[in-house]
Structures are given as C-alpha cells and as structure tokens.
Amino acid sequence: MIMLDVKNLNKKFPHFQLRDVSFQLPQGYIMGFIGLNGAGKTTTIKSILNLISVDSGEIHIMGKSMDKHEVELKQAVGYAFGNVDFYTRSKIKTLTKVYKTFYDNWNEESYRHYIQKFKLIEDKKIAELSTGMKVKYSLALALSHGAKLLILDEPTSGLDPAARDDLLDVFRELVQDGEISILFSTHITSDLEKCADYITYIHDGQIINSAEKEDFVDQYRLVNGKVEDLELIKDRMISYKVTSFGFTGLILTENFTPSAAFKTGIPNLEEIMIYYSKREAAHV
C-alpha cells in the first residue's frame, strides 16, 4: 500500500513557490526528505498536514484524501517539528494531559515507555528543556497514539551524535513490522545514510529526484580530471569546482561516457546537494 501520495503540489509565496511537488512513500519504509534550508521541505510538510492551504495538488494518506478526511487521518498521523515552542511555561505533564485528549487511540503505556527511554522529567517546564530534550518530548507525543504515518521535520537537528544514533535506532525499530511509515526531513544526510529506504530531494521548490536510496545515489557520479580536460565534459555536468589539482564535478550517470581522462566515484547525499546548489549559484 502507498501510505503517502503527494501529487502536483503548488503553492506560491511572494519570494518562493512549490512547483508540482510529487512523491510516494510505501507502507513500512523510511523516506528521507532532503534539501538545503529554504528549499521547501517544511512548506511541503505543512501542506501535507493541511496546515497551509495549497494553490493546487492532492494529498492522499492510506488511500484517502486529506481534504475530505482530515480529522480521521490526523488520528493516524504523528508529527514532530523538531522543537516545542508553545505553552513554554507549562510542565510536560500538564501539556501532555491536554495533548492526549485530541487522540482516540492514545496509549499511555507507549507514552510512559518513551518518557523513560528519552529520560524526560515530567515536572520540568518546556522552557527548561534543552533543544534536544524538546525534540525527544515532541517525538514521545508523536509515538504515543497509534500513528501509522510519522512525519518528522528535522527531528535530530538539536541532538548530539550519540543521541541522534539512538533515535535512528527507534525509527528502524518502528518500521520493522511493516505497519508504520516515516517521512523524515533533515539536512543531516549522514542520518539518512544509516536508516532511510527512500530519498526524496527537493531543491528550490521542485523535486529533483525521488527513489529508493541505492537507486537514487546510483543515478549520479562524481568525476575527477585535469583542468585541460574539463571542456570535454563540463556542458554535461550538473556543476563542478576547480582546484590546483584539477576539477571535481557531479554528473548524471546516464550522461557520462567512460574515458581514460576521468576518474569517477559514487557521491554521498551531501555531495549531491552541494553540487546542485553550486549549479544554482553559477546561474545567478
């Protein structure tokens, strides 16, 4: 089953727009949603959750339209925005008491499990929590009402490497039985190397690519060569940089013809994002 189906989302702001954003997340998998700051990740997520109105497009969760079944579907969606910036003077236990009244399938046992797992102290006020602890509290709430789809916007951004790795273990555990799906927005691409099954890359409000992680990366190659050989290939490259040692650039695998003049390698997700941003800078 397709858990999340995003079709042709368009939203225009004065200085930015989403343009025909489309992708699908199958049930039981983790999708990494990547892009530079300002690329449209949060705008897309808020559109999916109907927190902002779109100009056109469709959102289906578990085969049902978000427009027509919003109240029902939000019972099955857990979301965390990487921080808790509301009712900051309230204690955790006070805020939770209010929050859980909105969910028919609230599971107190699950909530207690994650409160203990994340070492959260319920008598602390939200304002007293570190950024990392706010993220953990937000996740504890999202994981405690039987959600089948988790939508997480930069959930690991305030955490140290060890805490991030612990959370990635939680995500992997959650999808093991094939029931839960996770859309995981982040600019920390190393996290996705460890846990994502699919990657969707948004750049300047448009989807550049959406595919299984291995297929996604395999569509690109890093090319190294001598500066004097750059003219042979530069028109086919996404972008490149020149140093005193030669040049390095990113190219679509389908556009590369093997040659003794060039060495190639497989890029990581961060390198793909960096070279796309260089292409944009070169055209400014």
Side-chain angles (χ1 to χ4, degrees):
M1 181 174 77
I2 299 299
M3 177 63 71
L4 173 64
D5 189 4
V6 179
K7 292 182 181 178
N8 303 118
L9 280 191
N10 288 276
K11 175 67 177 178
K12 190 171 185 179
F13 297 97
H15 304 292
F16 174 77
Q17 61 180 319
L18 293 181
R19 288 167 285 182
D20 293 320
V21 169
S22 299
F23 59 89
Q24 293 182 327
L25 171 58
Q27 184 178 13
Y29 293 96
I30 299 173
M31 174 177 282
F33 190 34
I34 65 172
L36 300 176
N37 289 335
K41 299 190 301 297
T42 298
T43 301
T44 300
I45 286 174
K46 287 183 175 180
S47 299
I48 291 169
L49 294 170
N50 210 20
L51 297 177
I52 59 175
S53 59
V54 296
D55 299 328
S56 61
E58 297 178 16
I59 305 294
H60 287 83
I61 295 174
M62 297 184 293
K64 295 184 178 181
S65 167
M66 190 61 157
D67 273 347
K68 297 177 181 178
H69 302 276
E70 180 177 359
V71 174
E72 174 191 348
L73 290 175
K74 283 189 173 178
Q75 291 286 327
V77 176
Y79 45 92
F81 289 102
N83 208 336
V84 180
D85 54 7
F86 52 91
Y87 299 115
T88 56
R89 295 186 179 182
S90 298
K91 292 181 178 180
I92 285 179
K93 64 182 179 182
T94 303
L95 191 53
T96 300
K97 187 176 180 179
V98 174
Y99 184 93
K100 69 183 183 180
T101 63
F102 293 100
Y103 293 97
D104 298 334
N105 296 319
W106 179 264
N107 188 316
E108 191 68 19
E109 185 177 343
S110 290
Y111 174 71
R112 293 292 156 201
H113 168 74
Y114 287 110
I115 285 290
Q116 292 176 14
K117 185 178 183 68
F118 297 149
K119 296 180 173 60
L120 291 162
I121 299 171
E122 289 193 283
D123 281 326
K124 277 198 170 186
K125 294 179 179 179
I126 301 300
E128 297 173 333
L129 301 178
S130 67
T131 300
M133 296 307 282
K134 287 179 181 178
V135 171
K136 290 179 178 180
Y137 176 54
S138 189
L139 280 170
L141 293 175
L143 292 167
S144 297
H145 57 84
K148 297 299 183 183
L149 172 63
L150 294 179
I151 297 179
L152 312 175
D153 191 11
E154 302 281 356
T156 61
S157 60
L159 304 178
D160 60 55
R164 291 209 323 267
D165 197 59
D166 287 343
L167 275 185
L168 298 182
D169 286 341
V170 171
F171 298 158
R172 285 188 288 257
E173 289 170 11
L174 287 169
V175 299
Q176 274 183 356
D177 64 2
E179 293 294 319
I180 293 175
S181 307
I182 299 175
L183 178 66
F184 176 9
S185 157
T186 185
H187 64 276
I188 307 173
T189 54
S190 59
D191 288 348
L192 302 179
E193 305 277 1
K194 298 176 183 177
C195 75
D197 303 296
Y198 290 82
I199 300 292
T200 295
Y201 174 33
I202 189 169
H203 180 73
D204 194 25
Q206 291 182 292
I207 299 297
I208 299 297
N209 197 356
S210 184
E212 290 189 42
K213 182 172 63 181
E214 290 75 14
D215 293 338
F216 181 98
V217 172
D218 196 50
Q219 291 178 49
Y220 302 95
R221 289 292 183 271
L222 280 179
V223 180
N224 298 277
K226 298 177 181 178
V227 174
E228 54 265 33
D229 294 324
L230 181 56
E231 289 295 327
L232 300 173
I233 196 173
K234 73 175 187 179
D235 290 342
R236 288 176 279 147
M237 301 186 79
I238 292 165
S239 72
Y240 58 88
K241 58 184 178 182
V242 177
T243 69
S244 57
F245 299 102
F247 76 90
T248 302
L250 186 72
I251 191 170
L252 287 169
T253 305
E254 64 184 23
N255 291 337
F256 179 69
T257 302
S259 166
F262 307 116
K263 294 180 180 179
T264 63
I266 296 175
N268 58 36
L269 297 173
E270 184 174 337
E271 288 168 329
I272 292 170
M273 286 172 44
I274 287 171
Y275 279 100
Y276 266 101
S277 68
K278 287 182 179 295
R279 180 181 70 169
E280 181 178 80
H283 287 83
V284 171

